[in-house]
Amino acid sequence: MQALEYFLIPWLDLKLLFLVAAGTFAGVYVGAIPGLSVTMAVSILIGFTFTWDVYPALCLMVGIFMGGVYGGSRTAILLNIPGAPSAIATAMDGYPLAQKGQAGEAIGIATVMSFVGGLIGIIVLAIAAPTVSEFALVFQPRDYMLLAVLGILLVGSLSGESLVKGIFAGAMGLLIGTVGLDPLTAEERFTFGLTGLWGGISFIAVMIGMFGVSEALMQLHHVDKTAVKQKISRIVPNWASIRRYLPLSLQTSSIGVLIGALPGTGGDIAALMAYDHAKRVTRNPEVPFGQGAKEGLVAPETANNAAVGGAFIPMLTLGIPGDAVTAIMIGALYIHGLNPGPMLMIEQPQMFWFITGALVLANIFMLIFGLTGIRIFTKIVEMPRTVLIPLILLLSIVGAYAVNNSISDVYWMLGFGVLGYFMKSYGYQLGPVILGVILSRLLDENWRRAIISEQGSIAGLFKGMLTSPLSLVLLATVVLIFVSQTPLWRCVRGKLGLESRP
């Protein structure tokens, strides 16, 4: 009964209720603006809320976190500019739906499935937090390395018709991600003596340029083309659609929770892995993936929102942040005199149930705010291209500059936009490039840590993989996925009549 009382605190106090609602509303629209990240918003909030009581401060932060993860899907669907890294996969099928006049339905599906994913993540947090956190603690550097390799193999799903072009794009992303000072030795890598490259190339600048600016340049070929009229008669998906996609949402939500609970990962990796999973298990989609498959919306949106609940698991049970936002929230808890970790669960269990209650409340407000204003938002896609193209460029410039207040990031963004335009023109997919940038640091750091832990012995590293059950499962998964992407295996599947996907 005490747990229920703590859970209902943010529900029964009007001030706390308002702060959760205000935070979620702000998060939805902050997340929709490229470059204005949830991490930035929560970090700014600490400066305003450190004199507050802990409950109001947490309500506002939880609301912004939950709303911001969802908010990135808006511009991803409407403009092909992911408002947040976790919405990269959403753009792959969301934007083609908007181009077909189904932006309202796409946003409706994304909103409802985000709610489902968020709810599942919170349920796992409430029921299985200690168990999942102990599982996450078992991961060694070699396991994170295998997880990164597993993610890199997603190029097969993101590369379109040409696997070779996908591998080239993914390798380019890995190269971009390694520019700067070595994270372990501080040695310069690919900086060419330029101090401005010591900090690396901003991932946000690469993402906005590749998706936003390149799309604006592609639209120049169709300036005189009439804008697609959006059908907004149906926004909320009917029960039959929800029931159809529910099995997939449950599967991808579990991916989101597990990836979210692993320190150093996040919703962006979870969304990409969920998208790949959807392509593998969906046998006969109504529309091919990449051309407006609704399964391509369901998978990443359930996964990235489920990762929110997952990220709180190691934070509250072990004192280890699941992602950048929970790292900031740990700092906020310390400021308020709390020590997140095992003792928090024992000495102050009310904080665990209070945060859980605030997360559920924020998830409900996210559903409400997500389903409002869609008619106005969809008008963006109906704008004449002479207005829409400058708007996309303006949002891209503001988003790239806002991250570090650096004009050099704007130049990088424009440069990668031109590169993305030429890659699109010659049939290269941009998803593998972004995937490579995201995973480069995870792979680089954990490869080196794994080698150091084995005193530089590759044989010792491989032996450790074979003797650890977790490493062995991950290694077997990597091998199976790699084999499944070879031309020989695809030929075998075709001869056996297993290749039923269009």
Side-chain angles (χ1 to χ4, degrees), residues 37-115:
S37 67
V38 183
T39 307
M40 180 192 302
V42 173
S43 61
I44 291 172
L45 274 180
I46 290 182
F48 288 96
T49 62
F50 74 95
T51 58
W52 294 14
D53 291 334
V54 64
Y55 281 175
L58 283 175
C59 282
L60 199 56
M61 291 181 191
V62 164
I64 284 186
F65 190 8
M66 184 64 75
V69 171
Y70 157 76
S73 64
R74 286 283 179 96
T75 44
I77 292 170
L78 296 175
L79 299 174
N80 199 29
I81 310 176
S86 57
I88 290 171
T90 305
M92 295 177 187
D93 284 282
Y95 185 65
L97 281 169
Q99 294 296 94
K100 296 176 181 178
Q102 301 174 40
E105 186 177 357
I107 293 175
I109 291 173
T111 304
V112 172
M113 290 306 165
S114 294
F115 171 78

Side-chain angles (χ1 to χ4, degrees), residues 20-30 63 67 365 369 372:
V20 173
T24 307
F25 180 82
V28 169
Y29 290 96
V30 165
F365 280 124
F369 295 139
T372 56

Side-chain angles (χ1 to χ4, degrees), residues 78-79 95 98-99 219 222-230 375-392 395:
L78 296 175
L79 299 174
Y95 185 65
Q99 294 296 94
Q219 292 287 345
H222 311 288
V223 173
D224 299 328
K225 189 177 178 181
T226 306
V228 178
K229 204 72 177 174
Q230 298 298 317
R375 294 177 184 274
I376 297 174
F377 261 83
T378 52
K379 295 297 180 184
I380 295 174
V381 192
E382 296 180 1
M383 288 181 181
R385 282 176 170 77
T386 52
V387 176
L388 186 60
I389 293 171
L391 175 64
I392 293 174
L395 281 174

